[in-house]
Each structure stands twice: as structure tokens, then as C-alpha cells.
Amino acid sequence: QTVPDPRLVCPPVRVEDDRTGLNIETLKRAFLDNLFYIQGKFPDIATQNDYYMALAYTVRDRLLKRWLKTAQTYTEQGSRTVCYLSAEFLLGPHLGKNLINLGIYDDVQQAMEELGLDLETLLEQEEEPGLGNGGLGRLAACYLDSMATLEIPSIGYGIRYEYGIFEQDIRDGWQIERSDKWLRSGYPWEVPRPEWSVPVKIGGHTEQYTDERGRFRVRWVPHHVVMGVPHDTPLLGYQVNTANTLRLWRAEAAESFDFDAFNSGDYVGAVHEKMVSENISKVLYPNDNISQGKELRLLQQIFFVSCSLQDMIRIMEGQKIPLEKFHEKFVVQMNDTHPAIAVAELMRLLIDDHCMTWDQAWGITTRTFAYTNHTLLPEALERWPIALFKKLLPRHLELIYEINQRFLDDVRIRYPEQPQMLSQMSIIDESGERYVRMAHLACVGSMAINGVAALHTELLKQGVLHDFYEMYPKKFNNKTNGVTPRRFMVLSNPRLSRAITERIGPNWVKHLDELKKLESYVDDPNFRQEFRQIKFDIKQELATYIQQNYGVAINPNSLFDIQAKRIHEYKRQHLNALYIVTLYNRIKANPNIEITPRTFLFGGKAAPGYYTAKLIIKLINAIGDVVNRDPDVRDRLKVLFLKDYSVKFAQRIYPAADLSEQISTAGKEASGTGNMKFAMNGALTIGTLDGANIEIREEVGEENFFLFGMTADEVYARKAQGYNPYDYYQSNSELKLAIDRIASGFFSHGDRKLFQPLLDTLMHRDDYMLFADYQAYIDCQDYVGQVFQDVDRWTRMTILNVARMGKFSSDRAIRDYCEDFWKISPVPIEIEEYSPEAI
Ligand code: GPU
């Protein structure tokens, strides 16, 4: 190593120096400097976006020392590190979160005010990187926030999609997709690191050879090579110096390849290949809980996984740690099976590129990985056709065959009398066309396997992964999801947060269990009054927003009943719709009926190819169009579908909710995380015994939770008996009336065909058992309406919900992962304080 020129040695890192000070004067000066030197504008012609960018750079400058110091500390200490591999990271806007975590939100607000600017308006400018679909991607983002806050060395690895989740528009009640150009006005939060680019091989064939030491080796001769270019984003923890890295890979054509084609005169061919290579990181697959099995998706998976594992090896080399210690240096958490090819890829790197023996490589691999499963839905379980695998990843297929053979030898020893176990557990599905089962690969290659809520982990053990549980019971361990209170309380609901801090001090933000202390205020009239007032004010703001953007007047005193999540039949937005139609029918039958005024709000995207989900959106809009205008309703009901639900919009929605709809068919929602975010903001839940709802109810108390519907066991039993939804339709008069009203074309300008596919499915199949749960849901909703009238009781229930949500902080979840799987403890980052004399 060369000794750097002494003039280039950095001065010790200090936070509060002239350039990156956190006081208002320094912030203002830095902001104006950035406006001038980065945006190239004088204030008088700057746009709001220029101001946003100038502020973003001002904040970024204040992250950089912490970020570099964090990396330096980890390097010097050779810290054990979690690598969180995920095809999705749904981060949400950075600016507000960074202001909170730096502890300068209020000062920046004042600094902007002194410059005649409004911080809220600037925050609105930020386009969020929508690099995820829903819960799974957002969970990854919450976990990165908690890892930084808990000072856990970690790297998030994923794909830098050029187009994230599509932008949703609604036209004539239908979802329209538009491409998401999140990079269009510049993205100040990332730093490209082209010097750490890595090659990824694709396609071709393998050859056997004997190396100079007489060892049997395999060489993979790829069809082509794609380069992965890392783009790093600092993720600062809350009130700590730790800023961990999110490293996202962008695909670029390998230069050498261009050059060959260029030399042979095929310029257009070379450019074409470049385009094909760059396609890999072009677009996020917009499916949630569905695997489409597309070639490009498998390419995305191997691309980011290979880049990330090669990057880990480079880091070890840089720290001079021998590769034999890979599993001591890193633990690799796989977010679902999307990165499960990592098991084969690490084997390949260790054996083919680093000359290890099979046993040595397998010993390392199976001590490195842990696998989180996020769904039981069969349509989401990833399987890749053998032919496709062989075409794109011939070497990995050989390795998987070898892994499988050795694994099946163990199965044979374990179950000598049960030959069917071999085909059941095999990594290769040979029941028809042959497939690679990614969940099986993940289970065989991991030291730890978890579901995301207690029920889900139990159902995994009984069902989808039962055989693996029998064989490796100690690998299984539940990890109930959590969400970050920094974003979903402090940032999104500052008034509630302030009211809480005034009562119990500020520690709850990092130790959410401390919310318990609020219980002693549940009968305090001042606190109750303030709590109610906060909710009311936020509801009124949302009402104003809706008036301005949708031209619909809603009553802030009505019950805000909200279902915001991806649109999916198992989540049963259409059950919610059936309740609305039922209420409407009651009003039509008796216009003077007493009902609690309600505003039904929906938000969420449907996968572009999921026809039924899109029809559900159309149905909700169609019902809204009629109900919102019908004078008989007299404004007692309003129904709105709010378009383009995103993290940014979610932050406005959670604080405004009175009632949170968590009504999936029991056994289908692995955990849910929106359920937690609503409850933390003082909404009550109407929900089934599914996913984390069960644990939320246990925590908040059954008397503070609106439970309805079948249990998962009852769902299975009913299915086994032979479920006939038509019987329910015929015997339940309100259900029949609701269905008939939709079928009649009443909500579709007389068109009786429009909703027929949806109604047919319900009447004759009803896979998600809406009809079986209909009456219980209606009764429960009616009860909710009554309780809402009792303002004191409702307020009490909401306060107790907030007070008892401590368990659902992602900090708790990350601590559990650290203790049970990762064996990693905090590494504090020290930064010298500023003292003017030291300059
Ligand atoms: N989830 Br698989 C997704 O958001 N997308 C997926 O493709 C898969 C799972 C969700 C689960 O549906 C939800 O119940 C869970 O809370 C979330 O992952 C995080 O674990």
C-alpha cells in the first residue's frame, strides 16, 4: 500500500465545522451555497425543485462524514456485517426522515422560514424511489432504518431499477399505469461507485478441465457478460452517527463485448447487445405475491445476487480476511426466495473462482444464509423451468443438481421407509415439467428459516415447509414483522408524537415499549381532549386535500374507514365494498335510518396483469360515483378511491384513520405491516385472526380490537367439507340484495356484464370465502359504528392501542434477528465534537 501524500490526509472528522454545522445560520449559508454551486441558480429564478435539491444536498453533506466514518470504523474493526439481500426496497422520501434522524427538523424549518420558504412544500417536491411493490419492500426499508439506529453493521443489497413501481391513475374508474420516472429531476441521495463494478456471466456452457495442480475443475464459458455498477445511498440511524449503506446495482453492458462487436463491424449489433444488458435493471416487476416466471426476472435475480456476493468477497480481500471466514464476516439474510439463487452462486464463487473443495464451500454456505418466507400463497412460490435455468445459468444448474443429490442422500438416511419424501423434498420438482423449487433451495442452504408472524410461521411448519421443519426443526424460528416509528410516527404524525413526548419524554422513539407509560393518561381529560383534537385536525386536512384533488366534500366528523394496501382478492377489498353496498341498500330501503356517518377510503395498486384486482378498483369507483351523488344518502356515506398510493401518501393516510381494515381471509396474509402503522397512529382495527392481527389483538387487548370471521383452521375445515358460496347467497337476504344490486347494472349505467366475472367467481368459487365471512363482517362493522358514537369509549380504545403497540417496532424485530440468527452486536461510531480552537 502506498502512503498518501501528507497534504491529502483528511483532517479528523468533525461534525460541527464551518461547512457542515447544524445551526441555523450555517444551514442557511450552506443551502444558499448549494443553490448557487449545485443547482446553478440565483434565488429569484429558482424553482421549488431547485430549493428542494439545494436543501437535499445540504442535508446530504451532513450525512457524509457520518457515512464515511461508519464505513471506516467497520473496515478498521473488521466488523461482522449483515447483508440484507432484497429484490425490493421501498424507501419512501429521504429528506424528512434524514432531518428527523439528524435531529434538525425544527431548525431547518426555521432556517427555510427565514429565507421565505416553506419546508412542507419542499418536502412535497421529493419523488420517492418506488423500488418495491408493497409490504415486502417496505419491510426491507424499515429494517435498514432499525439496523442503522441500533448501530448494527449492515449493507442492503438490491437493484437500482430505472423504473420503479408504476404510477397509478384512475380514468373512468379504471386503473391506468404510467411509467415511474423517479430519476427524472435528479436523485441527490446516491453516490455511484463505478470503480467497484463487477462482471456477471450469463448463458453459455461449462467445460471440465484439470488445473496445473491436477485438480478436477469446471470452467463456465458464458454467452455474455453484464457489468453491475454499484450506486450507494447512506441510511442514517436515529440520533446516532451510524450511517449504513444501501448498495443498489445498475446493469451496464460490458465494454469488452461492445468492442468485439464493433471491431467486427457490427456496430448496430453491439448497441443492441448493450441495450439487452441494460434491460436487466430497467424495470421492477409490478407483482405482489405473484410469481410470473419471466426470463428477465431470473436475470435480475442472478444479477444482483452475483454482484452482491462478489462485492462481499472484495470487501474481505480489502480487509485481508481469509475467505475461509466468509460466514464469520457476513451473515446473508434472503428476503423471500427472490435472492435464493445466492446459495448456488456462493458455492460457484468459492469452488470455481476460489478453488475451495465442495465440503469446505458447503460448510461456509450453510453457515452464511438465513431465509425469510413472506407468503403461503401457492402462486407466489417461485419455481423456474429447468430449461430456462440451463439456458441462463448452466453452471448453477449443475451445482444445484449436486446440492440436491447430497441432500437427498440425507433424506434417504432420515426416511429409509418413505421414498415419497424424496420427490416431495427434492429441490427439483419432477411431477410434470421439471422446475427448480427456490424455497427448497433456500431451506437446504440456510442455517435459519423464519415466517413473519406467529401464525404464519406455524402454518409454514404445518404446510408448505412441513417436511423441512421435520428434518431441521431447529432452523425454524418466528420473527414477527415490525415497522419504524421514526417514519410512521415521528415524521408522519408530528403532532401526536409531540403530545406523547410531552407526557412520557422522548425515549419512546427508540424504545417503543415505553409507549406503555401512556396508559396512565388514558383517563386524563386533557390528554384525551388533545388526542381527539389531533385526530380531528388531521382528518380535516385530509378532507381539504380530497376536496381539492377529487372535488368531493367529506365530513371530518364522520368515521374515516380506510383500507390501504395492494389490491388482491385475498385482502378482500371487495368484502369491504359489499358492506358499503349493504349500507346503501339500507338507506335506499329506509332513507331515515340511523347510521353512523362514514367515509370509506381506499388506496392501492393492482398488478397490471391481474384482471380481477383491476375490476375491484372499478367496482369501488363505480359504487362511489353513485353513492356520493345520491341525495337520499344525505352525505352519510362517502366512498373514494385515492389514486397512486405510495409511501409518501401512506404517511398522510395512517394518521387520519379511525378504522383500519385488515380483513384478509384467515391464513392468507403472512403478517401485514399496514395494520401496525394504523394502530400506532390511533386507528382501531377491524380484522380477522390473520397474520400479525392476532398479535396486535393480544397486545392491545381483545376489548380494543374489532374481531370477526373464521379462523385459519375453520377456513381449511370449511374448504374440506365442500364450500358452496351459492348457499350463502341464497340464504342471506342482505348479501343477496347487495350482489343483485351490483349485478343489475345499478352501479354501471345499466351494464349487467361489467361486474359479472367478479360476481360469478364469488357465487361459484369464492376462493377467499367472502360469503362465509359476510355476516360476521357486517355485524362487526355495525358494532364499530355504534362504538364510534361513544366518543369517550372510542378515545380510550385508541389511546390504549397506541400505548400497547411497542412490540411492533422494527427495532424489536431487528434485535430478535440479531440475537437468534445473526449473532451481531452494535458497533458505535465515534465522531469528534467540533471545537473552534481545533481548527
Ligand atoms: N409480501 Br411473497 C409482499 O408484499 N410481496 C410479496 O411478493 C410477498 C409477500 C408481504 C406479505 O403479503 C405481507 O403479509 C407481509 O407483511 C410482508 O410481505 C412483509 O413480510
Side-chain angles (χ1 to χ4, degrees), residues 108-127:
V108 166
Q109 191 163 41
Q110 193 185 328
M112 292 302 106
E113 212 176 286
E114 288 177 16
L115 295 170
L117 297 169
D118 171 40
L119 178 59
E120 299 297 312
T121 312
L122 301 189
L123 291 173
E124 265 308 301
Q125 291 297 310
E126 182 168 353
E127 286 218 44

Side-chain angles (χ1 to χ4, degrees), residues 615 618-619 622 742 747-748 752-759:
L615 195 54
K618 173 69 179 170
L619 175 64
I742 299 168
F747 298 112
S748 41
R752 303 166 136 269
K753 288 217 193 78
L754 181 60
F755 297 116
Q756 210 53 52
L758 186 60
L759 301 178

